[in-house]
Amino acid sequence: MQSSNPVLNRSSAFAPGHGQAYPGAAPYGQQAPNGYGYGGSGMPPQQYQGAPAASRPMTLDDVIVKTAITLGVVVAAAAVAWWMVPATLVTPAFLAGMLVAFAIAMVLSFSRKVNPALVMVYAAAEGVFLGIGSKFIAHWVGDSGIIVQAVLATMVTAGLTLATYKYFAIKVTPKFTKMVVIGTMGFAGVLLINLLLSLFGVSTGIGGMGPMGLLFAAIGAGLAVFNLILDFDLVEQGIRQGAPQNEAWRAAFALTVTLVWLYWNILRILAILRGGD
């Protein structure tokens, strides 16, 4: 099964092999050999109650709690960066947060086993990047209220995406997944090249606040919505297949990456449409 990441694809997120379910897990829509509609340890649902966390499969509550914790760290780190980073360190801290978050995202995306501590470090680095970047945009626009607008727009967009995914029973096919992953990786590649060019003083406008920046922010937001659909499917399939409880951290990481990406692009769109102060 494949899922999302603004950088690359995690095709084996909830499986020991490419597309393989856990031992005893049933294929999508089929009943498992243990007589229940899930895989994992083979214990019926009532036997999971009170069982050690490591011995039970993950639940939706696990994903929600861990996602809330991860996003909470992002918000806390962003607030600290907004208020505490001195002007002389703004640029170094911004770049450091971005590069550290990117590097850790790479490690987590390739890891067979999720390290919760590393997820927290990623969230903190991402928060530093977002805090400084958001402050810069708010200053450029001349209104810090744009941050609240971007957060609300992100929540509404994510909610509508989830409602659409559930109401229309969207099936995430291999073809759909492949298209989203290729598009996301291509987009990330363009951004990476743009970053390298900017270090040599070459400006393409992609990361700027002009028409080209608006175009790429809109493309990024659109890709983030498609990635959210993959993330929702990642969670649903993980629960269905009896993924270990610790895998909820992988789902939390995936959702955090996508929501942060969505927020950043929405913030840029709002800022560009409003214009600088």
Side-chain angles (χ1 to χ4, degrees):
M1 182 181 66
Q2 295 180 317
S3 184
S4 67
N5 181 307
V7 182
L8 41 86
N9 162 39
R10 298 186 303 279
S11 61
S12 57
F14 288 147
H18 296 290
Q20 299 172 355
Y22 283 95
Y28 182 84
Q30 299 181 23
Q31 191 175 41
N34 56 23
Y36 303 95
Y38 59 89
S41 68
M43 292 192 297
Q46 60 270 23
Q47 289 184 242
Y48 285 118
Q49 298 178 7
S55 66
R56 66 175 177 81
M58 79 174 190
T59 64
L60 182 59
D61 286 344
D62 292 327
V63 176
I64 292 174
V65 169
K66 289 173 175 56
T67 301
I69 292 173
T70 307
L71 288 174
V73 172
V74 172
V75 173
V80 170
W82 180 297
W83 295 107
M84 303 299 291
V85 175
T88 55
L89 296 178
V90 164
T91 300
F94 177 80
L95 292 176
M98 177 177 61
L99 294 176
V100 170
F102 178 83
I104 295 178
M106 295 287 97
V107 173
L108 289 170
S109 296
F110 281 110
S111 297
R112 302 290 292 178
K113 185 176 181 180
V114 182
N115 185 332
L118 201 56
V119 174
M120 293 296 97
V121 175
Y122 159 79
E126 192 73 85
V128 172
F129 163 77
L130 281 185
I132 296 175
S134 298
K135 185 176 183 179
F136 167 79
I137 290 180
H139 179 75
W140 184 75
V141 173
D143 179 15
S144 59
I146 193 173
I147 306 301
V148 177
Q149 296 170 11
V151 170
L152 292 176
T154 300
M155 295 172 60
V156 170
T157 301
L160 289 176
T161 303
L162 176 60
T164 301
Y165 172 78
K166 297 299 292 184
Y167 181 79
F168 292 100
I170 296 175
K171 300 299 182 183
V172 178
T173 64
K175 183 177 180 180
F176 175 81
T177 301
K178 184 177 181 180
M179 290 176 60
V180 174
V181 169
I182 291 176
T184 301
M185 293 179 68
F187 184 82
V190 171
L191 294 182
L192 183 59
I193 292 173
N194 178 69
L195 175 61
L196 294 175
L197 290 176
S198 66
L199 295 178
F200 293 96
V202 179
S203 177
T204 62
I206 291 176
M209 306 300 280
M212 185 63 72
L214 177 62
L215 173 62
F216 271 79
I219 294 174
L223 284 172
V225 168
F226 286 124
N227 274 277
L228 267 182
I229 294 175
L230 296 190
D231 290 336
F232 294 148
D233 183 69
L234 176 80
V235 173
E236 189 172 55
Q237 294 296 339
I239 294 173
R240 186 187 300 275
Q241 295 180 4
Q245 187 266 350
N246 190 60
E247 286 295 312
W249 283 110
R250 190 186 306 275
F253 164 69
L255 287 166
T256 300
V257 170
T258 307
L259 289 172
V260 164
W261 189 28
L262 179 61
Y263 161 79
W264 181 249
N265 282 289
I266 288 178
L267 178 61
R268 290 189 61 215
I269 291 172
L270 292 176
I272 294 171
L273 291 177
R274 181 177 299 186
D277 185 11

